[in-house]
Amino acid sequence: MVLRIWILLVSSYLLTVTVNAQTEAGSLADLLAKNKQQNAEDSSTLDPETQKLIDDIYSLSSSGPSSSTTTVRTHSNSGADSNSGCNCVPYYLCNNGSINTNGEGIIDIRINDGPCASYIEVCCNKEDQAENPITPTPPPVVKTGCGYRHADGVGFRITGDSENEAQFGEFPWMIAVIQEESVPGNSNKLNVYQCGGALIHPQMVVTAAHCVTGKDKTFKIRAGEWDSQHNRELYPYQDRDVQSVTIHPQYYAGALFNDVAVLYLSSPVEITKNVETICLPPQGITLDQSTCFATGWGKDVFGQKGRYQVILKKIDLPLVPNNVCQDRLRTTRLGKFFQLHQSFICAGGQPGKDTCKGDGGGPLVCPVPGDKEDRYYQMGIVAWGIGCGENNIPGVYVNLPLFRNWIDTQMKANGLDTSSYTY
């Protein structure tokens, strides 16, 4: 009995001091092999029960270092945990307590150190996996009106959004305008992100004219997009072909005057929790004091160091009166004689906070004055700027209220009702 206790103590000590370490004698596996060989000579004198205890101790490390309280897991290339038997599935298909039963999960987009390739996924035990989403894909909802922002997201809420990431479904009117390009020798067409846009009717999108100029170009739009690198969000995006493009007749490409266009879709999108229209303000309205939001997947900074964004970003920007904006723009390479055209408005001017390359065509939305339900209308379209996020240099946007009557005319010409963006 004394011998048995002594062997257990010595063997446990060797395991403890050598876990996860390399010594002069070699690896843990080498040390254990030497120990086992050294004690083999005495094994014939041990009773069977004692020998079994020794074998059990050595077998603990046969697949790598571990301790009695910590399991070192080896993850397979498929993203599943080979020790626990879990598989990587979207969080809404796993009933393991990682989300609430009502679907209001919380995902930290800065945490992705687990076995799964995407932060949307969790490693789920087989008994917890579900064939149908715990929060099922919703049927089309009865439209409640335009311009409602979902500040807490739809279906789940992200944390760790330190780089101005928008919540999923926060801006349900946001549209990605995609150009279809043919690939030589390949029948499949390549989808190239072109610009942003805004849904003003299930079958109409407003964007910047400079995004959709040129002959023989084929476009489609994507509604409900959020993370451009993953397609496993709770509610899917919707793609539609663009049937026709109408550019404002007074659009001037040289200076981007009247930089507005509407895209008529081949079929309407379905209004769901993550796809909804934005309101449009009355003709000619002005706002001088308001903090608005611009959204897009464009670059984070100007120039070669800038990176296009994977997750939809938002930036809060104050409107800048046109006379103030013109004075500030005159301090740039535009010169002291620059005149800001009436078809523009300005926003921003704070260091590091601006729209940038790739954000063109996206909406600038502002709170509807006097509305207490977090409702917004579109005051501008991302047009141009001098750099991105320069101190005291605002970005320049299409003055969308100037074109409300023209947009109404295009809607009626296509047999569409303007109530979709009227509040």
Side-chain angles (χ1 to χ4, degrees), residues 117-339:
S118 167
Y119 53 81
I120 294 293
E121 297 177 312
V122 295
C123 201
C124 187
N125 293 327
K126 292 181 179 179
E127 62 269 20
D128 293 328
Q129 294 175 24
E131 294 183 1
N132 298 316
I134 295 170
T135 301
T137 301
V141 298
V142 177
K143 187 167 62 174
T144 57
C146 59
Y148 286 103
R149 173 189 168 212
H150 305 303
D152 292 326
V154 172
F156 63 87
R157 178 172 58 86
I158 61 171
T159 61
D161 46 333
S162 60
E163 296 182 2
N164 299 312
E165 292 89 355
Q167 297 288 335
F168 175 70
E170 181 175 1
F171 302 95
W173 49 79
M174 185 66 195
I175 294 292
V177 179
I178 298 169
Q179 181 181 344
E180 292 186 330
E181 294 185 357
S182 298
V183 180
N186 193 330
S187 59
N188 296 324
K189 291 186 177 181
L190 184 65
N191 292 328
V192 180
Y193 172 74
Q194 188 78 359
C195 270
L199 190 70
I200 60 173
H201 181 279
Q203 206 167 351
M204 189 72 84
V205 169
V206 63
T207 187
H210 74 260
C211 293
V212 290
T213 55
K215 297 180 179 179
D216 301 324
K217 289 186 177 181
T218 303
F219 298 99
K220 67 179 182 180
I221 64 95
R222 178 166 294 174
E225 180 63 283
W226 179 62
D227 184 338
S228 62
Q229 298 301 307
H230 295 92
N231 60 359
R232 309 197 76 177
E233 292 97 340
L234 180 57
Y235 304 134
Y237 59 73
Q238 301 177 42
D239 284 354
R240 295 292 187 274
D241 293 330
V242 174
Q243 180 170 314
S244 63
V245 176
T246 304
I247 295 175
H248 194 277
Q250 294 180 324
Y251 167 62
Y252 172 51
L256 297 183
F257 297 162
N258 308 304
D259 185 18
V260 60
V262 290
L263 312 179
Y264 179 65
L265 309 182
S266 58
S267 62
V269 298
E270 292 184 349
I271 299 301
T272 61
K273 288 186 177 181
N274 64 324
V275 177
E276 184 53 279
T277 59
I278 183 64
C279 303
L280 293 184
Q283 174 73 23
I285 193 174
T286 59
L287 287 178
D288 287 337
Q289 302 293 329
S290 186
T291 298
C292 308
F293 283 101
T295 49
W297 291 275
K299 284 190 173 184
D300 51 357
V301 295
F302 184 70
Q304 293 182 350
K305 293 183 179 180
R307 295 175 294 111
Y308 286 98
Q309 306 305 295
V310 173
I311 294 177
L312 180 68
K313 297 297 192 296
K314 62 182 177 184
I315 193 73
D316 57 302
L317 300 167
L319 291 179
V320 178
N322 276 24
N323 60 328
V324 176
C325 180
Q326 178 175 274
D327 289 343
R328 292 180 181 177
L329 290 174
R330 285 178 174 179
T331 66
T332 70
R333 63 176 181 265
L334 295 173
K336 62 181 180 180
F337 299 112
F338 172 76
Q339 293 185 357

Side-chain angles (χ1 to χ4, degrees), residues 389-405:
E390 302 293 331
N391 190 25
N392 285 324
I393 306 300
V396 182
Y397 300 77
V398 176
N399 180 10
L400 199 58
L402 187 66
F403 302 99
R404 168 63 189 267
N405 290 344

